[in-house]
Amino acid sequence: MKTMTCKEMGGMCDYAMTASTPDEMIKVGMVHIEQSHPEMAADINKMSKDDPIMKAWYEKFMKDWDATPENA
């Protein structure tokens, strides 16, 4: 399990989320964004996965995920 904040995932707050896999963290992050930052969620949902912004976000997220230590 790893813990990342909304900010660490490119968001705007310090809400901490925990997940076992990168895909799970993305899902947990989207639930948080949709509930707490609906304008940001709307912008994300408008983009395709092939959008260069989304590709760059995913590459950074994966590097950050790999660098995040496992929870004690």
Side-chain angles (χ1 to χ4, degrees):
M1 296 289 271
K2 295 184 179 192
T3 299
M4 297 178 79
T5 66
C6 179
K7 276 185 187 171
E8 289 172 327
M9 293 181 64
M12 54 185 71
C13 75
D14 292 320
Y15 180 77
M17 297 163 275
T18 303
S20 299
T21 66
D23 288 340
E24 183 182 335
M25 184 64 79
I26 291 169
K27 289 177 186 174
V28 170
M30 275 309 297
V31 169
H32 166 71
I33 296 275
E34 288 168 351
Q35 292 174 348
S36 300
H37 313 293
E39 304 86 15
M40 185 179 198
D43 290 342
I44 291 168
N45 288 327
K46 287 179 191 174
M47 288 188 229
S48 78
K49 289 184 179 183
D50 294 327
D51 187 296
I53 293 170
M54 291 301 288
K55 285 184 175 185
W57 175 87
Y58 185 77
E59 286 178 22
K60 181 181 181 326
F61 167 75
M62 289 305 297
K63 286 179 186 174
D64 292 344
W65 171 266
D66 289 340
T68 299
E70 293 285 334
N71 295 345

